[in-house]
Amino acid sequence: MKVSELMRKNFLCLDADDTLLEAAKKMAGRKLDEAPVVRQGKFIGTISSSDIAAALVRTNIMGGVVPADAGKISHELVFKHLSHRPYWLDESADLLTAIAFIIHRNHDIIPVLDKKKKLTGVVLTSDLQEEMAKLLAAGGKMPYPEARGKKEEEQPAETVRGGTELDRILAYVEKKGSVSADDLARAFKLPVAEVEEYAASLEKHGLLKIDFNLIGKMKLVSTGGRGKE
């Protein structure tokens, strides 16, 4: 199953020039915690209830809550309050890639982009939960037409391509040839433990090789992005 088959095409999409008040009303009306944002039809990120809440209140050094000027904040534009890192999945990504996507992320929706990076739909985490239940019920075997009649070892390795941290890490390693987990963590401003988890996932699919130096520090080595045959 591809993300394009799972995604929903009828979804709330906000404009970058919507005000926070307009965004809050639209999201509340659809009972949504997050919504993708576009500018002139181009996807630029997402905004969440947490982002709106952060605009409404601040915490001081004593841990107290300081309210903002709601009247002023309500007219601020959505694009100024987007979640820091845009995230998305490619339409061509498969189900397991989508499931892997939410391991390190806590999102209700995942925007889906086509080859031209145009927003074409969203995947709901609740829909992924249903698919995970199907996988578990099937004993880990893919309960979809493309898997029928094939032995488990003959299943093609799922791609980890998509608009994810995995893509950027893989591209970085391929560019460098090899890089330590520590250096990669600094470059991407991620915990080393998280980088090591990403590396394990990429190695599983044959997209890079993990090596260790004499003092046990992890090094990621490019395999040319060939993946498993």
Side-chain angles (χ1 to χ4, degrees):
M1 175 181 284
K2 299 294 184 183
V3 165
S4 57
E5 301 172 65
L6 181 64
M7 71 182 187
R8 299 194 179 204
K9 297 181 180 180
N10 180 19
F11 59 95
L12 173 65
C13 182
L14 299 174
D15 189 271
D17 292 327
D18 283 342
T19 65
L20 284 185
L21 175 59
E22 291 170 332
K25 285 183 175 180
K26 291 176 182 178
M27 290 166 66
R30 299 281 288 269
K31 293 182 170 58
L32 295 174
D33 187 54
E34 295 175 293
V37 180
V38 298
R39 170 177 279 152
Q40 297 179 346
K42 182 180 179 181
F43 172 73
I44 61 171
T46 60
I47 190 165
S48 69
S49 296
S50 297
D51 297 321
I52 297 174
L56 283 171
V57 296
R58 299 286 189 273
T59 55
N60 58 31
I61 58 174
M62 301 299 292
V65 176
V66 180
D69 183 344
K72 181 180 179 181
I73 293 295
S74 66
H75 296 292
E76 290 194 1
L77 302 182
V78 163
F79 78 88
K80 295 182 178 180
H81 298 276
L82 299 182
S83 299
H84 294 300
R85 286 186 177 179
Y87 59 89
W88 68 88
L89 281 169
D90 288 339
E91 279 186 339
S92 60
D94 61 21
L95 174 62
L96 293 187
T97 300
I99 291 174
F101 190 95
I102 64 174
I103 293 175
H104 300 288
R105 298 168 178 83
N106 183 24
H107 297 298
D108 290 335
I109 66 164
I110 307 171
V112 179
L113 308 185
D114 63 14
K115 292 181 179 179
K116 296 181 179 180
K117 301 305 178 187
K118 179 182 178 182
L119 180 67
T120 55
V122 297
V123 171
L124 302 186
T125 300
S126 57
D127 290 339
L128 286 176
Q129 289 170 337
E130 291 182 10
E131 297 303 326
M132 287 189 282
K134 292 178 185 178
L135 280 173
L136 291 169
K141 296 180 180 179
M142 294 290 284
Y144 304 109
E146 62 265 31
R148 292 173 187 164
K150 295 183 180 181
K151 295 180 181 179
E152 186 173 350
E153 61 270 20
E154 294 174 344
Q155 296 299 319
E158 67 272 21
T159 175
V160 290
R161 304 283 182 177
T164 69
E165 206 76 76
L166 285 168
D167 293 322
R168 291 183 278 276
I169 287 174
L170 180 59
Y172 190 86
V173 174
E174 289 177 351
K175 180 179 179 181
K176 295 288 186 179
S178 68
V179 61
S180 71
D182 289 347
D183 288 344
L184 196 56
R186 281 191 289 271
F188 283 78
K189 295 181 172 59
L190 293 171
V192 174
E194 189 169 332
V195 168
E196 291 176 346
E197 288 183 23
Y198 284 136
S201 176
L202 290 165
E203 184 185 48
K204 175 183 175 183
H205 299 94
L207 294 171
L208 58 73
K209 179 184 176 183
I210 292 176
D211 201 356
F212 294 90
N213 63 19
L214 294 176
I215 59 174
K217 293 288 187 178
M218 179 185 286
K219 181 170 69 173
L220 289 66
V221 182
S222 172
T223 60
R226 292 186 295 274
K228 293 181 179 178
E229 298 297 330

